[in-house]
Amino acid sequence: MFQKGLLTLVLLIPVMLCSSCGRGEHKPLVPVLGRVLFEGKPVPHALVVFHPLAEEGPQTVRPRGQVAADGSFQLTSYATQDGAHPGEYRVTVEWWLTRATAKSPEGSNLPATNRLPARYSKAETSGLLARIAPGTRELPTFHLTR
């Protein structure tokens, strides 16, 4: 009985020591609002992703937001609309048209298509930059063109 309790304790200690691992231990975030317009009109349901200039790698946090009907978005890094880390970012925007019921003239399902020019889907070619500083609340509007 004593050995069984000791074994349980030995197995439980690492779990207890790591109970705080990966939980809420990140740099402070800034809640940020933005807006995206394409040819002067909102792009509802488009996906906006912020790619940090300072960090690259598999663990890099890339804040993102889904565009609302009015063109606005709020950034999410870890939890819904919690914001982004201060820093400089390249920004990408994709606006996928998905119609489960859309059919080609031949009767097959149509593939999803990005309604924006392809350059906006890559950080290297979008030309969109953003700087988030502590205290930043709202970003300038991203005006996308053909």
Side-chain angles (χ1 to χ4, degrees), residues 13-146:
I13 288 175
V15 172
M16 291 176 1
L17 290 175
C18 279
S19 65
S20 65
C21 296
R23 224 183 30 195
E25 296 177 16
H26 50 75
K27 298 182 279 183
L29 298 172
V30 177
V32 179
L33 302 169
R35 190 162 188 228
V36 177
L37 300 175
F38 177 57
E39 298 291 323
K41 297 179 182 171
V43 290
H45 309 291
L47 178 65
V48 181
V49 180
F50 280 51
H51 305 265
L53 293 179
E55 302 174 33
E56 281 301 321
Q59 300 300 320
T60 301
V61 175
R62 289 178 180 82
R64 59 193 62 232
Q66 185 170 12
V67 178
D70 66 353
S72 66
F73 65 88
Q74 291 183 294
L75 290 177
T76 295
S77 289
Y78 302 99
T80 303
Q81 301 176 347
D82 59 357
H85 296 294
E88 294 184 349
Y89 295 86
R90 287 192 173 119
V91 181
T92 58
V93 185
E94 294 180 289
W95 190 25
W96 291 90
L97 173 64
T98 55
R99 286 193 221 162
T101 58
K103 302 279 184 189
S104 71
E106 297 82 34
S108 60
N109 287 336
L110 294 174
T113 57
N114 185 2
R115 298 169 74 178
L116 298 174
R119 71 179 175 272
Y120 292 119
S121 67
K122 296 185 187 286
E124 300 79 28
T125 60
S126 75
L128 304 174
L129 297 172
R131 183 173 185 277
I132 297 174
T136 300
R137 180 68 183 135
E138 194 165 334
L139 297 170
T141 299
F142 293 108
H143 292 277
L144 311 183
T145 60
R146 291 199 188 278

